[in-house]
Amino acid sequence: MEILDEEPKKSLPIDFYERVYAVVRQIPYGYVTSYGAIAEVLGHPGAARTVGFALNQVHGRMNDIPAHRVVNRNGVLTGKNHFETPTRMQELLADEGVNVCDDVVQDFDRLFWHPRRLGRPD
DNA sequence: CCCATGACCACAA
DNA sequence: ATTGTGGCCATGG
């Protein structure tokens, strides 16, 4: 039948950002996750770039949002240049016991926290 | 409205 | 394995 696809696409853009922040806040101390995983759990599996864009606007809230715990799918600190200093992200991770070598999180598979798993990993 | 950019990701060659 | 290309969603000129 001729259905009218009047789906309300004009959703609130801020919703997406706030959800990103909400997920990032859930990342446990000493663990990391990826942009794609966040986008996927939010229902937009292809919006990984938008997640990064959202985190780029965080500047003021970095105190509440551990953006340094978000890396790309390969465990690379792709966003390190957007911190106060290029080494800031690595330092913050190292302070949590996350070892970073050559801009790559070591033991990435073990330290990866999937947003779907609320509460504690493992 | 069209175009360009971006802290990404998946896939093809 | 490395490189290139397209897609994804939101923002700014």
Side-chain angles (χ1 to χ4, degrees), chain A residues 28-32 66 68-69 91-99:
Chain A
Y29 180 95
Y31 286 84
V32 296
H68 60 280
R69 295 178 191 152
E91 290 169 358
L92 289 170
L93 287 171
D95 192 44
E96 301 184 1
V98 178
N99 195 8

Side-chain angles (χ1 to χ4, degrees), chain A residues 17 20-21 35 49-62 65 67 79 81-83:
Chain A
Y17 278 44
V20 170
Y21 303 149
Y35 304 96
R49 303 183 81 188
T50 311
V51 173
F53 205 94
L55 290 179
N56 194 13
Q57 305 301 316
V58 171
H59 275 265
R61 302 179 174 175
M62 273 186 57
I65 304 173
N81 290 329
H82 292 265
F83 283 75

Side-chain angles (χ1 to χ4, degrees), chain A residues 31-45:
Chain A
Y31 286 84
V32 296
T33 192
S34 69
Y35 304 96
I38 295 173
E40 183 174 289
V41 76
L42 292 181
H44 293 267

Side-chain angles (χ1 to χ4, degrees), chain A residues 4-120:
Chain A
L4 8 152
D5 301 335
E6 291 182 307
E7 45 195 33
K9 307 171 192 285
K10 292 296 183 177
S11 302
L12 318 173
I14 303 178
D15 248 10
F16 188 79
Y17 278 44
E18 291 301 326
R19 279 178 194 149
V20 170
Y21 303 149
V23 174
V24 174
R25 270 189 284 254
Q26 309 307 316
I27 306 175
Y29 180 95
Y31 286 84
V32 296
T33 192
S34 69
Y35 304 96
I38 295 173
E40 183 174 289
V41 76
L42 292 181
H44 293 267
R49 303 183 81 188
T50 311
V51 173
F53 205 94
L55 290 179
N56 194 13
Q57 305 301 316
V58 171
H59 275 265
R61 302 179 174 175
M62 273 186 57
N63 206 2
D64 291 334
I65 304 173
H68 60 280
R69 295 178 191 152
V70 185
V71 297
N72 77 345
R73 70 172 180 95
N74 208 10
V76 181
L77 280 57
T78 51
K80 66 168 191 169
N81 290 329
H82 292 265
F83 283 75
E84 300 174 349
T85 70
T87 57
R88 183 65 178 169
M89 188 175 185
Q90 177 172 342
E91 290 169 358
L92 289 170
L93 287 171
D95 192 44
E96 301 184 1
V98 178
N99 195 8
V100 175
C101 184
D102 195 21
D103 295 340
V104 180
V105 174
Q106 304 301 293
D107 294 324
F108 179 59
D109 293 330
R110 185 173 65 81
L111 298 179
F112 184 84
W113 173 82
H114 199 289
R116 198 164 300 218
R117 287 190 128 187
L118 300 179
R120 299 285 200 78

